[in-house]
Amino acid sequence: MLPLLQQHMGITHANSITTEPSPSSPRPRLLRLLPQPRRRRHAHAKHIALSTNCKCASAASASVEEDDVAGGLGYRHPPKQIQEILDVPPNPSYLISPRRDRIMFLQRTAMPPLSELTKPEIVLSGIRIDPGSNMRSRMSFYTGITVHDLMDNGTLGPAKQVHGYADGAKINFVTWSPDGQHMAFTVRYEDKVDNSVIVSLWVANAESGEARPLCISEDIRLNAIFELFVWVNDSTLLVCTIPLSRGCPPKKPLVPFGPRIRSNEHKNVVQMRATKEMLKDLHEEELFDYYATSQIILLSLDGTVKPIAPPAIYIALDPSPDEKYLMLTSVHRPYSSTVSYKRFPKKVELWTVDGTFIREVCDLPLAEDIPITSGSVRKGKRLISWRPDMPSTLYWVEAQDGGDANVEVSPRDIVYMELADPLNGEKPQVLLKLDLRYRRISWCNGSHALVYEHWYKTRRTRTWVISPDCKDVSPRVLFERSSEDAYSNPGSPMMCRTHAGTFVIAKIKTNYEGTYILLKGKGATPKGSIPFLDLLNINTGVKERIWENSKEKYYESCEIQLNHLKLLVSKESRMEPTQYYIKAWPDKTQVQITNYSHPYPQLALLQKEVIRYQREDSVKLTATLYLSPGYDPSKDEPLPCLIWSYPGEFKSREAAGQVRRSPNKFARIRSNFPLLWLARGFAILADPTIPIIGERDQEANDRYIEQLVASAEAAVNEIVRRGVAHPDKIAVGGHSYGAFMTANLLAHAPHLFCCGIARSGAYNRTLTPFGFQKEVRTLWEATDTYIKMSPFMSANRIKKPIILIHGEDDSKVTTVMQDKSDHLQAALLLLLQVGSSIRSTSL
């Protein structure tokens, strides 16, 4: 691969470097391509560097033999400039206590070791399971917890390090108790004697930081396949555990149970998009039962244990706000080999917290036949939840179109509400009838709630104001707009936490009549995103802007309401990492509570600019241009450039041309994003908009290739016009649908790019016959479009080098019978036959 890319990027040689040897292996010799010194415009550049880094785990876990390196095998350390960036741990994440009087910071590591990624796993019904710990595999984790009091003056109290667990523990599922006096979390570590994985539930005192295991019985083991635990009240948790009667995993029979048979005697229309991780046979059904079945227990902070309800596959645990009821959601047989567990038969039951069964809310059948049309949903009750502003009231939605978005009907959805234990056989109350598809409700109180509906085909979205407990008050529309129109987005309501631990819309006290709430928004404008905070009179719809981000240097955003008009705010600039402040209104005082250093000081002076240009049909486009520190296009030679993008679909030219980014946001460098190449002297054009537009009754993908090429050509012309990119040294790349884009561009616009990087793509759309991305037509309804869009069908036109990267066991696949690896192998064979340059990398 290296000689091939050197040839096409103008590289004449590559140097080798050495690194320190690991204790158990000879000194590895690692190849790297060194960037040449920057040359002035009067000089003739003969060398351009290309770094083909693909780092999927911490550098400390990779070492290779000299022979493997020479032969192109094995994992390698990236160049030092990139390794130094990737090994920087991210800043801690945070959790505010329910009463807004404490903040918890959670420390994280940079990247997991390869040993973590290569652990055995079992894939069942769309879930990847670590059989050793009985939890999801490859979970990220925290390494430490620190707690601070939030003082009245906005400062932080002294740090209290949560302690008591062993060094090297991996922490997950961190939550506050409803009163904020305790934190519960799991601790996971490997037994060094037998290499087994031990997962235990711990609780820590928020005042002292002292932590202890909550469940010390060896008979009680946690089941974290689905929801592991929730707080029922200040001193009790509802926990999923492995049933005591569970034995060894079922063994796969030497002789299969029988042939795999799929029939459709009832002539159901089953249209499923690509997947390969469904249950394949009876043995996998037994494994799913084995690992997913839980016994629920009530576990008190004093260690008292009480089983609740019979063992089942519980996927959600929801205590009522008044702590009297438990809503338990489970799935059960018959299972399916076509759909994931999310569409298995689903049962919702109500129990009291002392273990008394109340009633069955619903038992939905297997849902294999949901149409692929966007907006189609499951039949029957869906999205069943507790009203957060009431003690124990349920609400849910039911489709009136049979769940089929192709059916024209009014109303389309009805929102219902009823008490957990209805009196005298009362029927559910109709809360609201909707002509679009229901999305969600933001509750405030019995007088006000906001209901959101949306229809994808027309991109219409509406926000209703309803009075749930006032039958004489009619619903009214608060906002109605196109969901694509970012400029008209009014924002979303700031939420606050109730004493029951639920979230409701925060009401703001004012000297005016009416009910006031805060709306926070990203504030998309033609000049970039300008976050805002509006004070809205929910009775009249009148808004007043009480704060707007400065347009000059910083990007600020309101995170959480702490108390009335005291907010937690994030603040960053293109050269300064995100810091957090406590800001209060109306005096607008602010106190900084974090002081994080720049994670990559070597790139502290990188150049970032949001650029605007247009393609030949006058559609306005946007991209973010990154240049290395010190580069001056007026004096220096044009650079090799990497364009990294992902196409998007729109219904209007105006929406496609809107700016949805800020020039003042900090440039966060992630392992899966191309900004790493800045450390190697590249110019990066990140996320240039590639809009695929289908106005009115037009289907966007019918002109996919033409619009794709036009957008790419406009981007290339702009960076060449600016003098920052050498026209013969521009690469294109992308992930998933961006990889699909990359292959198409090398096939249909070879004059624009010298090579491509396609990561985890699918290249033959005939293998996704029931739609892909936003395409809802089937292969048989849009045969020409499917074929024309597939780069596999144009593989003979690809003459430039392309590296195709894919996971060896990719979860995002194309059909039950063929995954992305099969796409890749087919494309590889054809490309090799026509003499194209290609390199396949399986991670």
Side-chain angles (χ1 to χ4, degrees):
M1 181 61 184
L2 294 180
L4 178 65
L5 291 175
Q6 292 167 18
Q7 174 186 349
H8 285 267
M9 293 291 284
I11 302 171
T12 60
H13 69 277
N15 296 330
S16 63
I17 63 171
T18 59
T19 61
E20 292 299 318
S22 65
S24 59
S25 64
R27 176 186 294 268
R29 182 170 59 86
L30 306 181
L31 298 179
R32 92 174 180 186
L33 301 175
L34 298 177
Q36 304 303 310
R38 185 177 300 130
R39 298 173 182 270
R40 300 299 178 184
R41 283 192 178 274
H42 61 268
H44 176 65
K46 296 182 179 180
H47 310 292
I48 297 293
L50 178 66
S51 166
T52 56
N53 166 59
C54 181
K55 177 181 172 72
C56 63
S58 67
S61 52
S63 63
V64 290
E65 301 288 341
E66 283 194 27
D67 291 342
D68 287 343
V69 174
L73 304 175
Y75 290 104
R76 310 184 191 184
H77 287 293
K80 182 180 179 181
Q81 303 100 315
I82 290 178
Q83 181 174 327
E84 289 174 345
I85 294 174
L86 289 179
D87 285 341
V88 174
N91 289 335
S93 56
Y94 69 86
L95 287 174
I96 301 290
S97 65
R99 297 186 179 178
R100 303 296 200 258
D101 58 352
R102 292 189 173 100
I103 185 170
M104 180 197 317
F105 290 103
L106 307 171
Q107 285 78 43
R108 300 175 286 174
T109 58
M111 305 190 80
L114 285 174
S115 58
E116 183 77 14
L117 302 181
T118 56
K119 285 183 177 179
E121 64 178 3
I122 299 173
V123 184
L124 300 170
S125 192
I127 305 170
R128 291 176 174 261
I129 298 171
D130 177 358
S133 61
N134 219 97
M135 61 193 303
R136 301 291 181 99
S137 63
R138 303 183 183 182
M139 287 186 64
S140 59
F141 55 87
Y142 302 111
T143 58
I145 305 174
T146 304
V147 180
H148 297 261
D149 289 336
L150 289 172
M151 312 305 288
D152 291 339
N153 62 2
T155 61
L156 296 185
K160 289 168 282 190
Q161 187 72 38
V162 174
H163 58 279
Y165 46 81
D167 292 339
K170 300 170 183 175
I171 301 170
N172 291 102
F173 306 107
V174 184
T175 60
W176 287 101
S177 62
D179 62 1
Q181 298 302 309
H182 295 88
M183 300 91 73
F185 52 90
T186 61
V187 171
R188 170 170 48 114
Y189 60 92
E190 293 185 4
D191 191 304
K192 296 182 179 180
V193 177
D194 59 5
N195 293 323
S196 62
V197 179
I198 300 173
V199 183
S200 55
L201 183 60
W202 286 59
V203 64
N205 184 290
E207 184 64 33
S208 65
E210 183 178 356
R212 59 183 174 85
L214 189 54
C215 192
I216 59 176
S217 172
E218 294 183 357
D219 293 333
I220 298 179
R221 298 174 56 204
L222 304 179
N223 191 338
I225 301 302
F226 294 107
E227 189 161 15
L228 175 56
F229 68 86
V230 294
W231 288 90
V232 176
N233 52 45
D234 296 338
S235 60
T236 308
L237 297 101
L238 192 64
V239 186
C240 282
T241 65
I242 295 173
L244 295 176
S245 59
R246 193 179 88 167
C248 296
K251 294 184 178 180
K252 187 171 185 176
L254 296 177
V255 179
F257 292 109
R260 294 173 60 187
I261 300 174
R262 296 181 183 177
S263 65
N264 193 15
E265 297 172 352
H266 299 292
K267 299 183 179 180
N268 294 325
V269 177
V270 180
Q271 297 180 338
M272 280 299 300
R273 293 200 172 186
T275 183
K276 72 170 184 179
E277 296 183 338
M278 303 302 100
L279 300 176
K280 299 180 181 64
D281 51 35
L282 294 177
H283 172 63
E284 290 201 350
E285 291 187 9
E286 291 180 345
L287 286 175
F288 183 72
D289 283 334
Y290 178 84
Y291 287 106
T293 299
S294 295
Q295 172 63 62
I296 299 176
I297 63 171
L298 282 173
L299 181 59
S300 300
L301 294 185
D302 61 8
T304 304
V305 176
K306 180 180 180 180
I308 294 287
I313 300 177
Y314 294 104
I315 61 173
L317 314 173
D318 295 294
S320 62
D322 63 2
E323 305 171 358
K324 292 182 179 180
Y325 300 96
L326 303 173
M327 181 168 62
L328 307 179
T329 304
S330 60
V331 296
H332 59 82
R333 291 173 180 265
Y335 300 146
S336 170
S337 61
T338 305
V339 297
S340 76
Y341 75 91
K342 296 178 182 180
R343 296 193 184 184
F344 286 177
K346 180 186 294 184
K347 182 184 295 184
V348 180
E349 296 177 336
L350 291 182
W351 294 69
T352 64
V353 292
D354 61 5
T356 302
F357 176 76
I358 299 297
R359 65 186 177 97
E360 182 182 283
V361 178
C362 67
D363 190 356
L364 304 177
L366 180 66
E368 289 183 320
D369 57 350
I370 299 177
I372 62 172
T373 304
S374 183
S376 295
V377 296
R378 192 170 193 158
K379 300 175 184 176
K381 295 180 179 180
R382 72 180 197 275
L383 303 175
I384 306 170
S385 301
W386 295 107
R387 262 188 69 172
D389 63 323
M390 294 292 286
S392 52
T393 299
L394 294 170
Y395 71 96
W396 68 89
V397 189
E398 293 186 40
Q400 306 302 298
D401 54 8
D404 188 351
N406 295 304
V407 174
E408 295 295 334
V409 65
S410 179
R412 189 171 293 278
D413 271 342
I414 297 180
V415 185
Y416 294 94
M417 179 177 66
E418 73 173 347
L419 296 174
D421 195 3
L423 302 175
N424 303 320
E426 292 178 339
K427 293 184 178 180
Q429 173 187 341
V430 174
L431 200 58
L432 186 62
K433 296 181 179 181
L434 301 170
D435 286 334
L436 309 182
R437 186 66 77 201
Y438 168 88
R439 299 196 76 173
R440 68 183 187 278
I441 296 181
S442 294
W443 296 88
C444 186
N445 51 31
S447 299
H448 297 99
L450 301 181
V451 183
Y452 302 84
E453 62 174 338
H454 176 258
W455 195 243
Y456 176 75
K457 188 173 183 179
T458 60
R459 309 301 200 272
R460 298 309 301 167
T461 180
R462 294 193 193 109
T463 303
W464 293 83
V465 178
I466 64 170
S467 299
D469 298 340
C470 303
K471 296 182 179 180
D472 56 337
V473 179
S474 300
R476 58 185 175 82
V477 175
L478 180 63
F479 303 118
E480 182 169 6
R481 62 186 190 88
S482 168
S483 60
E484 288 187 338
D485 184 7
Y487 293 169
S488 68
N489 191 332
S492 57
M494 295 286 287
M495 310 297 285
C496 67
R497 202 158 185 171
T498 68
H499 291 295
T502 58
F503 288 92
V504 297
I505 298 175
K507 293 188 294 181
I508 303 301
K509 297 178 182 179
T510 69
N511 296 326
Y512 310 108
E513 293 184 359
T515 300
Y516 286 82
I517 66 174
L518 291 174
L519 294 178
K520 67 171 183 176
K522 294 182 179 179
T525 74
K527 296 182 179 180
S529 297
I530 305 174
F532 64 84
L533 197 62
D534 283 350
L535 187 65
L536 170 71
N537 185 325
I538 202 171
N539 303 96
T540 64
V542 176
K543 294 187 294 183
E544 176 188 351
R545 183 142 300 179
I546 64 173
W547 172 79
E548 187 175 78
N549 182 205
S550 170
K551 307 176 183 64
E552 299 302 322
K553 179 179 178 182
Y554 290 100
Y555 180 88
E556 295 183 69
S557 178
C558 296
E559 300 282 325
I560 293 176
Q561 184 197 36
L562 298 175
N563 180 22
H564 193 49
L565 283 176
K566 182 185 288 186
L567 305 176
L568 179 68
V569 176
S570 64
K571 184 176 180 179
E572 62 191 284
S573 73
R574 68 185 70 186
M575 295 182 181
E576 300 172 52
T578 303
Q579 309 291 353
Y580 293 96
Y581 296 76
I582 304 296
K583 179 172 285 192
W585 278 268
D587 54 1
K588 297 183 180 180
T589 59
Q590 66 177 22
V591 178
Q592 184 174 345
I593 64 171
T594 62
N595 188 24
Y596 299 128
S597 59
H598 198 294
Y600 356 94
Q602 64 273 44
L603 293 177
L605 298 179
L606 69 80
Q607 303 172 64
K608 174 185 176 182
E609 181 183 0
V610 174
I611 63 174
R612 294 281 278 163
Y613 52 98
Q614 67 181 33
R615 68 187 191 191
E616 60 182 4
D617 59 359
S618 299
V619 173
K620 295 180 180 179
L621 305 177
T622 309
T624 306
L625 177 63
Y626 294 91
L627 300 171
S628 298
Y631 176 76
D632 185 348
S634 66
K635 299 178 182 179
D636 297 325
E637 287 289 331
L639 298 172
C641 180
L642 173 61
I643 296 178
W644 193 269
S645 191
Y646 193 100
E649 186 175 311
F650 294 88
K651 287 297 291 182
S652 74
R653 298 161 58 91
E654 293 75 19
Q658 292 183 348
V659 181
R660 295 173 172 83
R661 64 188 82 188
S662 169
N664 294 328
K665 297 200 73 173
F666 181 68
R668 294 171 181 82
I669 301 180
R670 305 185 300 272
S671 62
N672 60 350
F673 201 64
L675 293 190
L676 284 167
W677 294 61
L678 287 169
R680 304 289 284 165
F682 274 67
I684 306 296
L685 191 69
D687 296 321
T689 48
I690 310 279
I692 311 300
I693 305 168
E695 295 185 296
R696 294 178 291 278
D697 295 331
Q698 296 176 344
E699 295 290 345
N701 283 337
D702 288 348
R703 295 183 57 245
Y704 172 86
I705 296 298
E706 296 91 323
Q707 296 190 68
L708 176 70
V709 172
S711 298
E713 193 163 38
V716 168
N717 290 342
E718 178 64 17
I719 56 177
V720 171
R721 182 191 68 80
R722 288 170 171 261
V724 299
H726 193 294
D728 298 329
K729 296 165 186 175
I730 301 175
V732 62
H735 173 77
S736 189
Y737 204 48
F740 177 78
M741 169 204 75
T742 298
N744 264 314
L745 285 173
L746 291 187
H748 300 286
H751 60 289
L752 297 177
F753 305 104
C754 65
C755 61
I757 303 172
R759 187 177 64 204
S760 297
Y763 309 100
N764 185 351
R765 286 304 166 196
T766 66
L767 298 179
T768 58
F770 296 116
F772 54 91
Q773 293 295 113
K774 301 300 183 181
E775 179 59 70
V776 297
R777 296 170 296 174
T778 67
L779 169 64
W780 302 278
E781 294 170 329
T783 305
D784 291 343
T785 297
Y786 272 65
I787 292 175
K788 186 178 180 181
M789 286 183 68
S790 298
F792 178 76
M793 303 302 177
S794 302
N796 61 314
R797 302 177 61 178
I798 300 178
K799 304 300 181 182
K800 299 293 180 66
I802 180 172
I803 179 171
L804 302 176
I805 307 169
H806 59 97
E808 191 171 42
D809 193 14
D810 198 338
S811 62
K812 294 183 178 180
V813 294
T814 52
T815 68
V816 175
M817 302 302 294
Q818 288 185 281
D819 65 13
K820 287 181 181 175
S821 299
D822 298 307
H823 280 271
L824 185 66
Q825 291 163 8
L828 175 60
L829 289 174
L830 183 53
L831 285 167
L832 291 177
Q833 288 174 3
V834 300
S836 298
S837 302
I838 189 169
R839 171 69 180 261
S840 166
T841 300
S842 177
L843 301 178

